[in-house]
Amino acid sequence: MGLFDDFNRFLENRLEEFLRNNPHLELEALLEQLREQEEDTLKLIADLQLQEKRSQEQVMSTAQEIQRWHIRVEKAKTANREDLAAAAAQREAALLREGNQQWGQMQGVKERITQAKELLRKIQQRRQEVQAKATEAQTARAKAQAQQRFETSGWDARSSYSSGYDDLEEKFRRWETQDELEQMKRNMGK
């Protein structure tokens, strides 16, 4: 078991190192994770809406039964059949308790739908933010590659300080992008 754990830790460390060295891939992985969360949340909302519809049908059916037994209570009282009226009133009371339970369950499902929709909105907002960062990182990477090609093609005869400056610029861009990515991860955890 120890060897397997060591190997697993080694692979995780290598993956983390690779992602640190390639922040654009980390953004892509985060985008994919957000896409999956969005899809799962949409499925959850659809399931909950189906449950809500079933709950509403149960409540309506129970309400109709309550109404039917209420009419029977009144009918038995009018006919001076107190034995039937008492039994019908008990049935009506049992149906009222059942209806109240069903109503509470339906309200719980409605609350869960509201929460799922709010979660979906947050996921979509986070996805847009990450997409913007990924686009920004891709643009920065393309500019850096173009600059590097320009510098290595022999057209740039400036001093080594200039090339060092561009290297420093690239390092800062990577660091800033990584810092923003970490901040977004922390925000997602909240």
Side-chain angles (χ1 to χ4, degrees), residues 31-135:
L31 271 174
E32 183 57 32
Q33 182 183 14
L34 288 168
R35 277 188 211 105
E36 289 172 7
Q37 287 177 352
E38 183 177 3
E39 188 176 304
D40 291 346
T41 305
L42 285 169
K43 286 178 186 175
L44 175 64
I45 290 170
D47 289 345
L48 288 171
Q49 286 174 333
L50 187 60
Q51 280 181 8
E52 179 187 27
K53 185 177 180 197
R54 287 184 192 137
S55 291
Q56 288 172 342
E57 289 170 357
Q58 283 180 333
V59 167
M60 290 303 296
S61 174
T62 303
Q64 289 171 347
E65 277 296 298
I66 292 169
Q67 187 177 20
R68 191 167 69 109
W69 282 99
H70 182 74
I71 290 171
R72 286 182 170 174
V73 167
E74 295 302 317
K75 193 174 182 181
K77 282 182 180 179
T78 303
N80 288 325
R81 292 290 311 265
E82 291 301 320
D83 58 326
L84 289 177
Q90 287 178 347
R91 176 71 59 90
E92 181 184 16
L95 286 168
L96 277 168
R97 285 189 298 276
E98 184 180 327
N100 284 337
Q101 255 184 341
Q102 291 170 346
W103 182 265
Q105 290 171 348
M106 183 180 70
Q107 292 304 109
V109 170
K110 285 182 177 186
E111 179 63 29
R112 288 182 63 203
I113 289 171
T114 301
Q115 291 170 350
K117 286 181 177 179
E118 178 62 21
L119 175 63
L120 178 64
R121 185 190 65 73
K122 287 179 180 178
I123 290 170
Q124 289 172 335
Q125 180 181 2
R126 181 72 62 213
R127 188 172 154 203
Q128 288 174 349
E129 291 170 2
V130 172
Q131 182 65 54
K133 293 292 178 194
T135 302

Side-chain angles (χ1 to χ4, degrees), residues 1-17:
M1 241 358 181
L3 181 62
F4 179 74
D5 290 338
D6 289 344
F7 183 67
N8 193 25
R9 233 177 286 119
F10 170 75
L11 289 177
E12 287 176 3
N13 290 339
R14 295 294 295 158
L15 178 61
E16 287 176 13
E17 180 183 330

